[in-house]
Each structure stands twice: as structure tokens, then as C-alpha cells.
Amino acid sequence: MTQQGAPRDAPVPLERGAQNAAQGPASGDPAAWGPSGRDPAAWASSGGDSAVQGDPAARDDSAAQADPVAQDGAAGDVTTPRARTHRVGGYTVVELHGEIDIAGVESVGPALDAATTGDKPAVIVDLRPAAFFDCSGLGLLCRAHRRVMERGGRLRLVCDNALILRTLRAGRMLDVLHPVATLDEALRAEE
């Protein structure tokens, strides 16, 4: 991978997390790492809490047995795209769950289309449950926005995820959709 305008053999700057990963194990011997394959110093500094390290594979089996969502494969799969629609006040709220990508748009698109039909639809799209959101999801939001505006309605967007907000910024949709961090803020936007 090279940067534009840089010689082919020029080093590519790494993000901070990638720099730490590129340095390898502190001891130099991966066999010396803890049970989860992490540096033992990092393991100890987190108190051995795998959730702090973001390693769901190192989760305690007893915790998985106690968690009904973890027992149900469909409910426990946070990557499966789905839409949940409900009414709050005068708005139809469409929560988008899972990975909203080229494959996921097929699963959630019909719910968003249904919410944006009729005369003067009032819709809130809640992206907080989304695990991933790419340009396919951006296209879905553009379509929903266009449909609502054509019908003289209102569309609000709830999003507090920095990566999704970055995608919205790259697609120049922040100034169009004006996302807010909470559902309460979206409901108060009319006041």
C-alpha cells in the first residue's frame, strides 16, 4: 500500500492502534502472551477483564450461559441486519440493527420504505443499534430523505457513533440530515 505521490517503497503511516500491533509482543515471544493471545502486561492492567480489551472470544462461559441473548444465535448475532419499527408520539421510529451494508440494505430497506410512504410521513431513523454502516446505508438514508421530502414530511436521524458520523460526513449528509445523539433530542427538534 502506498500513498498517492509517494515512492512505492516509502513507509505508510500507521494509526496509533496499528502501530502498537505492528510492534508485536512486549516479550517478543507470542507463546508468553496470556490466554487470550494478548500481552500479559495489557491483560494485567485491565484486571483480566476481556471486555475492556474488546475480546468477546475470551468471555467466561458462565456469563454466556446466564445471558439469554448469547444462547439464542439469532438474537445474539449483532451483525444480522434487521429493522425494528415502532411509534413514539407522532413519529414512526425505525431502528436499524446489525451491519447495514450492501447485503443488509435488502433486509432493512422495506421497513424504511414502508415508514416513508403516505402523506407527510414523520420518521425518525435510529442508527444507535447499528454495528456497521457503509455507503450502501448512506444510499438508503438518501432514498428515505428524498421520499419524505417529496411527500412533505419530516425525517430525523439519531446517531451517536463516531464512525457512522464520519461516513455521513464523507457523504456530505451531516448538513442535510442533522443527526442528534438521542431519541429525545429528535423528538424535541420540532419544539
Side-chain angles (χ1 to χ4, degrees):
M1 173 196 222
T2 62
Q3 291 179 315
Q4 186 175 2
R8 274 188 118 30
D9 58 347
V12 176
L14 298 173
E15 294 179 20
R16 184 175 304 149
Q19 287 173 347
N20 293 341
Q23 291 172 359
S27 68
D29 180 13
W33 285 15
S36 64
R38 288 189 299 269
D39 179 14
W43 178 262
S45 69
S46 71
D49 183 4
S50 63
V52 172
Q53 296 297 321
D55 186 2
R59 187 174 166 182
D60 183 14
D61 287 337
S62 62
Q65 291 172 357
D67 183 3
V69 173
Q71 291 175 357
D72 180 8
D77 185 7
V78 298
T79 62
T80 302
R82 62 185 175 87
R84 177 179 176 260
T85 303
H86 57 97
R87 297 282 299 173
V88 176
Y91 283 90
T92 301
V93 179
V94 182
E95 296 176 358
L96 300 183
H97 295 256
E99 293 184 354
I100 310 303
D101 56 11
I102 194 164
V105 167
E106 286 182 14
S107 300
V108 300
L112 203 50
D113 284 348
T116 58
T117 59
D119 190 38
K120 297 184 180 180
V123 180
I124 296 175
V125 179
D126 190 350
L127 295 179
R128 292 175 300 171
F132 178 79
F133 188 88
D134 70 3
C135 60
S136 300
L138 193 61
L140 187 70
L141 288 180
C142 289
R143 173 181 163 84
H145 180 262
R146 180 184 49 80
R147 289 170 54 95
V148 167
M149 293 300 113
E150 287 174 351
R151 292 167 173 82
R154 300 178 310 250
L155 179 74
R156 304 285 179 256
L157 181 65
V158 179
C159 180
D160 61 0
N161 182 310
L163 293 176
I164 295 175
L165 290 170
R166 181 186 293 176
T167 302
L168 292 169
R169 184 179 307 111
R172 302 196 187 275
M173 292 302 292
L174 282 181
D175 293 334
V176 175
L177 298 174
H178 306 286
V180 295
T182 67
L183 186 57
D184 288 338
E185 287 179 78
L187 292 168
R188 285 193 309 257
E190 283 299 306
E191 296 174 357

